[in-house]
Amino acid sequence: MTSKIVPVIMAGGKGTRLWPLSRSAAPKQFLQILSERSLFQQTLERVGDRTRYEPAIVVTNSDFRFIVAEQARTIEAELGDILLEPVARNTAPALAAAAFAVLGRYGEGAIMQVLASDHEIDAGVLYEDCILRAQAAAQRGELVTFGITPTEPATGFGYIECGDELAEGTNRVARFVEKPDRVKAEAMIATGRYLWNSGLFMLPVTLFLDELKRFAPEVFDAAKAAVEGAYKDLDFTRLHGESFAAAPDISVDYAVFEKTEHAAVVPSSFPWSDLGSWDAVWKTGRKDADGNVVTDRATVSNTRNSLVLSRDIHLAVQGLEDVAVIAGEDAVYVGRLDDSQSVGHIVKALALSPKTAALTEVHPTSYRPWGAVAALSDGERFSVKRLRVTPGKKISLQKHHHRAEHWIVVRGTAEITMGGETRLLHENESVFIPQGTVHRLHNPGKIPLELIEVQTGSYLGDDDTVRIEDEFGRK
């Protein structure tokens, strides 16, 4: 048993509402939007106090396992575990599996704090006060959610109606309200009893599982079996696939909170945003004298109340007002801020065409267990990529049937294994790897290794990689 809070971070979402930066394979929680830290990394930092928190348990899917591990490693954040969902099954099964994992590790008295990995939160004094109140309520036997004090009649959130006061700063939940239209939202806010539903929780594990078994036994049984049948895969825990897939697709609100007699809410006035649109990003950003939020790689002139964001190319915007101009690695979005909730229409249109569907799925930069690969240029019979290898990591021992490769080191030191021989390659040195040659790349140094890779051949697909030996268990 532990007296500390066990953080559970939900990091499996695949949203594209912040397109072109977010993609299905690179959702917003892993992006550096207005900070050098991703939203996921900021979430880890909020639970980094080891006098209060145990190491975080992250719930994600298999596609994101290496980026979760890498982003945690980059900021030296200790993780308790990374639970991998075999299929998406909404928040109730995910939290149930996490609760069983917490129960098995810390015992019946454990309290888990559920955090979304893609929220922007000002973790100041107001936030700390709310955490303490929620922890106290959970210790008294309440299932606690955090209700955000509304700043506008938002229609993109669900609402919570506050009931009787249970203790200072804690109320019984009277009811949950689905996303309302604007007229209804204005009427609810006018009463002073309604809060935004944040989707954040503080839960006594045993009580949560008891209520889950009472109100959603299929979720309880599936999650229990998924954890009992889980197995380790490197630094990850894979939940049992068939068992987890048997769980109904249901949110924790529907499964438990709308039925239990123990639902409590902590009214929370700390600055919070789910960053669900470019308009929301603009509202949370630091504005200049003209109301613009502008990143370093952008210049604006005669422009007001706009969001201009780029990390790869320099943007110049002139004579516009109330717009979002967002540059990704391979696409640019321009639209009115007040219409940015509709970016999904653009994404759906792009997804329908084979020529543009990839723009909704992947970035030119993709993460690997050993680092990252960025596509620079592609043509007939050639491809140019930038490779970054994390210190101490190595790619698989491999060969290719249809292509040759040329590696040029631009930063760091590379250890090259080729044809059974190993040698070091330093900055500005290169090596040619003929088609069919068994080879491996290793970063033996203390700094990231960066290379330019030029591939040439009749077929350049990733499925032409024959892995002979791989420390990450890939085939």
Side-chain angles (χ1 to χ4, degrees), residues 277-298:
S277 66
W278 288 121
D279 182 43
V281 174
W282 174 77
K283 288 176 181 176
T284 63
R286 182 176 299 176
K287 300 173 182 63
D288 64 17
D290 293 316
N292 299 310
V293 177
V294 183
T295 57
D296 290 340
R297 305 200 71 170

Side-chain angles (χ1 to χ4, degrees), residues 157-238:
F157 304 134
Y159 284 71
I160 299 170
E161 182 181 7
C162 292
D164 296 337
E165 187 175 66
L166 295 170
E168 183 180 356
T170 308
N171 294 76
R172 179 69 63 206
V173 171
R175 66 176 178 133
F176 290 86
V177 180
E178 290 292 334
K179 297 176 182 178
D181 59 29
R182 187 173 183 86
V183 173
K184 187 174 181 180
E186 289 174 345
M188 288 191 300
I189 289 175
T191 69
R193 300 195 309 271
Y194 288 85
L195 307 166
W196 289 339
N197 187 355
S198 69
L200 308 175
F201 306 97
M202 191 79 74
L203 306 174
V205 169
T206 302
L207 175 61
F208 173 66
L209 289 174
D210 286 345
E211 295 296 271
L212 191 72
K213 186 175 183 179
R214 178 184 176 190
F215 295 115
E218 292 180 350
V219 174
F220 179 94
D221 292 341
K224 186 173 187 291
V227 172
E228 290 175 345
Y231 62 95
K232 294 297 290 185
D233 177 6
L234 301 175
D235 295 330
F236 315 106
T237 298
R238 290 187 179 273

Side-chain angles (χ1 to χ4, degrees), residues 447-469:
I447 64 173
L449 167 64
E450 296 184 12
L451 306 93
I452 299 298
E453 177 184 80
V454 181
Q455 302 176 353
T456 59
S458 59
Y459 180 74
L460 306 176
D462 286 342
D463 55 355
D464 184 37
T465 299
V466 180
R467 293 190 175 96
I468 300 165
E469 184 181 297

